[in-house]
Amino acid sequence: MRILLVEDTRDVGEAIIGRLSRIGHAVDWEVDGAAGMEVLSRTSYDLVILDVMLPGLDGFSLLAQLRARGSTTPVLILTARSRVEDRVDALDIGADDYLVKPFDFRELEARVRALIRRNGGEATNLLRCGDISIDRLTRMVRVGDCEVHLKRRELTLLEILSSRPGRVFGKDELLDRMFGHDEAPGPNAVELYIGRLRRKIEGARAQIVTVRGFGYQMVIDGPA
């Protein structure tokens, strides 16, 4: 999914991006709170990972402004502050979760999965669409009983489409959610990945349908 990281410690930021990118997320990174707020004013994200001690605008102020604008984007706070009062303040301002530094990256990944799952109204890491199943923990995909091997962005695309069967996703929206803002995909990138994904899930009881002039949707054949 598309994630914004606002973190001014370079080694922490690089490590987070490396871990989340490897499991299929598109991550944008800002090191300044004011810059993070500006990006959030024009770009939609599935999750924000937010440090507290930031130049320009601190994390709590950014979060308060975000919620004042009516945004419901899940926010995970990262901070070295471990006092109960700090955690209570963050949650009361509108944070969805709170992780104290230093942390184990396995816990960070688990919390990211939980927040994205919760935001999508799902109770487990297993996403089903027709006879396609996606395990968000192991990144394993099956069509029926057969395992299907997908590359990172193919899996991201399948996860986006399968999470909302029947919904039409426009090309620009898919580009935004599959690639970070510092990446430059080719003009036919979405069509390329759609074509590859269709071939790999051929025969499934859920198929990617082109809605001409609008985009793509996942359509389930028969009972889900």
Side-chain angles (χ1 to χ4, degrees):
M1 297 299 167
R2 186 105 185 248
I3 296 173
L4 175 64
L5 170 66
V6 190
E7 166 63 67
D8 67 332
T9 305
R10 187 153 297 278
D11 58 344
V12 174
E14 290 173 349
I16 291 173
I17 289 174
R19 293 287 295 228
L20 296 182
S21 296
R22 279 197 295 273
I23 59 175
H25 298 297
V27 186
D28 296 335
W29 182 19
E30 297 292 342
V31 298
D32 178 280
M37 191 70 246
E38 195 277 328
V39 170
L40 283 165
S41 69
R42 54 182 168 81
T43 307
S44 295
Y45 289 93
D46 298 293
L47 175 68
V48 177
I49 301 176
L50 180 62
D51 189 20
V52 173
M53 301 301 292
L54 293 167
L57 184 70
D58 70 85
F60 283 175
S61 297
L62 189 160
L63 176 59
Q65 290 186 26
L66 186 67
R67 294 304 185 228
R69 293 183 180 186
S71 173
T72 58
T73 301
V75 175
L76 170 60
I77 291 286
L78 298 181
T79 182
R81 299 179 180 181
S82 59
R83 297 187 312 154
V84 171
E85 291 82 359
D86 293 320
R87 296 198 295 272
V88 170
D89 287 345
L91 294 169
D92 282 344
I93 292 169
D96 295 273
D97 203 352
Y98 191 104
L99 188 58
V100 177
K101 300 176 181 176
F103 52 83
D104 189 306
F105 280 96
R106 293 171 298 176
E107 183 177 5
L108 173 66
E109 291 176 10
R111 289 176 184 266
V112 166
R113 286 193 300 270
L115 287 171
I116 291 176
R117 189 174 68 231
R118 185 189 309 165
N119 195 45
E122 297 151 8
T124 72
N125 287 317
L126 192 62
L127 175 62
R128 295 185 184 277
C129 184
D131 61 347
I132 298 171
S133 62
I134 305 167
D135 190 319
R136 287 174 166 146
L137 176 59
T138 64
R139 313 305 290 171
M140 181 181 294
V141 176
R142 290 184 178 276
V143 173
D145 295 326
C146 299
E147 185 175 350
V148 178
H149 297 281
L150 301 180
K151 294 184 177 179
R152 178 168 61 91
R153 284 207 171 92
E154 294 168 353
L155 177 54
T156 299
L157 177 58
L158 180 63
E159 189 174 355
I160 293 169
L161 295 171
S162 298
S163 66
R164 296 290 184 274
R167 181 191 159 183
V168 178
F169 290 86
K171 177 179 175 180
D172 289 343
E173 181 180 1
L174 291 174
L175 282 172
D176 284 344
R177 295 181 67 175
M178 292 171 63
F179 297 91
H181 62 56
D182 58 345
E183 298 176 288
N188 298 317
V190 171
E191 290 89 342
L192 177 65
Y193 283 104
I194 287 286
R196 290 177 179 174
L197 188 54
R198 277 175 169 155
R199 288 192 293 273
K200 291 187 177 182
I201 64 169
E202 187 174 4
R205 288 197 294 105
Q207 297 296 325
I208 302 169
V209 174
T210 301
V211 182
R212 297 201 177 278
F214 293 96
Y216 303 93
Q217 66 179 166
M218 186 70 83
V219 175
I220 298 173
D221 302 325

